[in-house]
Amino acid sequence: MLIVIYAFQNGDGDFSMENFVRFVEQPEAVNTFIYSMGIAIITTILCILLGYPAAWILSNQKLNRSGITVVLFILPMWINFLLRILALQLILSNTGILNT
């Protein structure tokens, strides 16, 4: 919500459309926005195409195998979380904030 408020304010805190005018006047910014929206739409469609069948498979599994299936679907998220933590540790180590 705060980002939306700041988007409609100028440097003095008054209501202004100046930020949007500057955005539209810069073709690189508009192209980047369009490219980002295209990527967002593609990834949303891919997540729907992969997520709904995965949810259907999980919902139709028998109880004796459902635990293994759930772990197989959750494991990539754990790896993603681990990679983020390791990247953050590397960034903090290189800046001197975290000395390990």
Side-chain angles (χ1 to χ4, degrees):
M1 183 67 184
L2 195 58
I3 294 173
V4 174
I5 293 171
Y6 285 146
F8 289 100
Q9 291 180 347
N10 60 10
D12 300 329
D14 300 326
F15 177 80
S16 173
M17 296 295 285
E18 178 182 335
N19 296 329
F20 294 101
V21 171
R22 279 193 319 210
F23 174 76
V24 173
E25 289 175 348
Q26 297 176 356
E28 299 89 14
V30 174
N31 289 338
T32 303
F33 177 74
I34 292 170
Y35 182 72
S36 298
M37 292 304 293
I39 296 235
I41 290 169
I42 290 169
T43 54
T44 300
I45 291 170
L46 285 175
C47 286
I48 289 171
L49 290 175
L50 294 173
Y52 276 105
W56 183 78
I57 289 169
L58 285 174
S59 68
N60 290 328
Q61 285 290 318
K62 295 180 182 176
L63 290 177
N64 58 357
R65 289 189 183 166
S66 65
I68 295 170
T69 310
V70 170
V71 169
L72 289 175
F73 280 110
I74 292 177
L75 191 61
M77 288 184 271
W78 289 345
I79 293 171
N80 182 21
F81 182 71
L82 178 64
L83 289 175
R84 286 182 186 192
I85 295 297
L86 291 174
L88 182 62
Q89 181 183 8
L90 182 65
I91 290 169
L92 294 176
S93 295
N94 287 341
T95 58
I97 295 172
L98 180 66
N99 294 323
T100 57

